[in-house]
Amino acid sequence: MKLETLEISFTEKVKEAHKAAVLSYIANIASKGLPPVLSVEHFSMLIGVRAESLYEMSNGPQHFYRSFDLPKKSGGTRRIDAPLPSLHFVQRWILDNMLSNVALHGAAKAYRKGVGIKENARFHRSQPLLLKMDVKNFFGSITERQVVSIFLKLGYSKKVSTFLAKLCCLNGSLPQGAATSGYLSNIYLTHFDEVVFAKCKADKIRYTRYADDMTFSGPDFNVENYLKLVSKELGKLKLSLNPKKTRVLKPNNQQIVTGLVVNEKVSVPREYLRSLKQDCYFIHKFGIYGHCRQIENANPRSTLEQVIGRLSYVSNILSKDKRWADLHGSMMAHRKETFGY
C-alpha cells in the first residue's frame, strides 16, 4: 500500500511531534507493502467488521472455533480447531492483505499459492540418500507471544500486534485449522530455513520444508551432523524434533516425500493406487449403495465424495496418465446419476 493512497488528517490540537511519529509509523509499514493499522477501530473500518465483534473474537477466541479429531495415517487422531465463519473471514483478510505480502524462504513449500506437495517432492527425485525429519507439536509450540513478535517485526504497534495475534491464536498458540496458522509458521521459521539452507547449499544437499515436514537429499552425507544442526536451530525457536518420525531412506527403500514416491519419478504409492482402483471397480459393478453394503459403510454419499476427491488428487499428480482423469470423470457421472448433482 502506497503512502499517497491514504488520506490522513489531524485535529488542530495534535502536536507536530505526534503527527511526525504517526506518519513515520505509516510510512514504515506501507514501505513493506502492508496495510497500516493505527488501532482496533481503524482495523474495523478497513475490513468492514464492527469493532465490538472484533474485540469479542480477540478476547474470547475459544467461542469462535469448532473442534474435532481427524484420524492420522500413522494411527491416533489429530485435533483440528476450525474457526467459525465470522473469525475465518477476519483471518482470511489478515492472510490475504498482510501475511501473504511477507517474503518467505524458497525452501518453505507449504501454504503458498502455486506450490504444493508435487513441487516439494519433485525436488528430491532419484537421490542416493534421503533424510526426513518432523517437528513435534508444530503449530501448538508456536506461542501467542511469538506471533506478537512477528507482527511487531512487521512494524505494527504493540497494541495492534497483540490484538492481531489474539485473532490468530487459540489457547495461547497457533491452532491447526486457522487460515493464518500456516503462513505465520512459515514466517516464524524464515531464519531457520536460511541457516539450514545455507549449510545444505555448501554441502550440495537439497533441502525443503513442507510445514513441519523437513526433507534432505543428495549424495551420501553425514546424517548425524544434520540432526544436530536442525535440533540446535529448532531449539532457538523453542521447537523440537519428533524422533519417532526421523527416517533415513536409500534407493532400495521406498522413498516417500509428503506422501509421494520419489525413487525415480514423482508418483503415488502403489498401495494407494491399488486401493483406489478397487473402490472404483466395485462402484462400477455394484453402484455406490451396493459397494457400501459390501464394505459395511453407512454413508454412500460421503464414500463417493472421498473416492472422487482421491481421484482428483491422483489425476493431478499423475497428469500424464489419462486413465485417472477418465476414472474421475466416470465417478462424477455416477454421482450425478445417483444423487443428481
Side-chain angles (χ1 to χ4, degrees):
M1 180 178 290
K2 295 182 179 179
L3 181 59
E4 55 266 31
T5 64
L6 300 174
E7 294 184 6
I8 305 167
S9 61
F10 299 93
T11 62
E12 294 180 0
K13 295 181 180 180
V14 176
K15 295 180 180 180
E16 290 301 320
H18 183 72
K19 289 181 183 179
V22 171
L23 291 173
S24 175
Y25 171 77
I26 292 172
N28 176 45
I29 296 173
S31 68
K32 300 172 185 176
L34 302 172
V37 177
L38 303 176
S39 64
V40 175
E41 289 70 25
H42 182 210
F43 183 73
S44 167
M45 289 186 287
L46 284 175
I47 70 172
V49 176
R50 292 170 59 249
E52 292 80 4
S53 298
L54 292 171
Y55 277 119
E56 288 177 0
M57 294 176 197
S58 64
N59 293 332
Q62 68 274 15
H63 302 301
F64 292 86
Y65 284 87
R66 61 182 185 91
S67 302
F68 52 92
D69 293 325
L70 288 179
K72 297 165 66 174
K73 290 182 180 179
S74 56
T77 59
R78 175 182 288 107
R79 178 187 171 95
I80 301 296
D81 297 298
L84 298 180
S86 55
L87 179 56
H88 178 73
F89 172 81
V90 175
Q91 291 177 345
R92 282 299 315 186
W93 195 95
I94 294 171
L95 174 63
D96 295 339
N97 295 278
M98 293 180 169
L99 303 178
S100 62
N101 294 321
V102 180
L104 302 175
H105 192 276
K109 302 298 183 182
Y111 313 113
R112 306 179 72 162
K113 290 182 180 178
V115 181
I117 60 171
K118 187 176 182 179
E119 287 71 26
N120 180 62
R122 183 184 290 136
F123 201 68
H124 300 283
R125 287 175 300 179
S126 303
Q127 296 301 306
L129 184 64
L130 191 144
L131 169 64
K132 296 170 62 177
M133 302 184 214
D134 194 276
V135 181
K136 187 177 181 180
N137 187 26
F138 185 49
F139 287 127
S141 298
I142 301 176
T143 67
E144 185 176 303
R145 178 181 293 183
Q146 291 158 344
V147 177
V148 172
S149 295
I150 289 173
F151 285 111
L152 284 171
K153 289 175 183 177
L154 295 180
Y156 293 104
S157 69
K158 185 174 182 179
K159 182 177 180 180
V160 169
S161 296
T162 301
F163 167 71
L164 293 172
K166 286 182 177 298
L167 289 172
C168 298
C169 292
L170 176 66
N171 299 324
S173 63
L174 290 181
Q176 186 157 340
T180 43
S181 292
Y183 212 96
L184 281 168
S185 69
N186 277 341
I187 295 173
Y188 186 59
L189 267 72
T190 296
H191 182 67
F192 170 87
D193 289 332
E194 290 171 351
V195 172
V196 173
F197 181 81
K199 169 64 174 172
C200 290
K201 185 177 181 180
D203 292 346
K204 297 182 179 179
I205 299 300
R206 303 180 180 205
Y207 161 67
T208 61
R209 179 179 60 79
Y210 198 90
D212 58 345
D213 189 349
M214 293 167 285
T215 306
F216 302 79
S217 66
D220 195 22
F221 55 90
N222 192 314
V223 169
E224 193 61 34
N225 285 348
Y226 276 89
L227 287 170
K228 289 179 180 177
L229 171 67
V230 171
S231 294
K232 177 184 175 182
E233 294 303 320
L234 285 178
K236 294 177 182 178
L237 297 173
K238 306 292 191 254
L239 300 174
S240 60
L241 281 173
N242 184 348
K244 294 180 180 179
K245 291 192 175 182
T246 298
R247 297 284 186 273
V248 179
L249 301 170
K250 295 186 177 181
N252 58 327
N253 305 122
Q254 188 178 54
Q255 297 177 325
I256 295 181
V257 176
T258 48
L260 299 176
V261 180
V262 296
N263 290 67
E264 296 178 2
K265 60 182 181 179
V266 177
S267 187
V268 180
R270 290 191 207 93
E271 301 78 13
Y272 188 96
L273 297 178
R274 189 180 299 116
S275 171
L276 184 54
K277 280 182 180 177
Q278 188 177 52
D279 282 336
C280 292
Y281 171 79
F282 286 118
I283 291 171
H284 277 302
K285 186 173 182 178
F286 301 113
I288 187 60
Y289 285 100
H291 177 53
C292 284
R293 282 193 295 271
Q294 292 287 330
I295 62 175
E296 298 182 349
N297 187 309
N299 197 327
R301 189 187 295 261
S302 175
T303 300
L304 184 56
E305 291 294 349
Q306 289 178 20
V307 170
I308 289 172
R310 291 161 64 199
L311 284 168
S312 178
Y313 162 72
V314 170
S315 60
N316 177 57
I317 300 299
L318 306 179
S319 55
K320 293 183 179 179
D321 190 339
K322 192 172 178 295
R323 290 175 300 172
W324 296 104
D326 291 341
L327 271 176
H328 180 259
S330 69
M331 288 296 107
M332 294 281 282
H334 186 74
R335 182 178 69 180
K336 185 172 181 61
E337 180 182 340
T338 307
F339 299 112
Y341 68 97

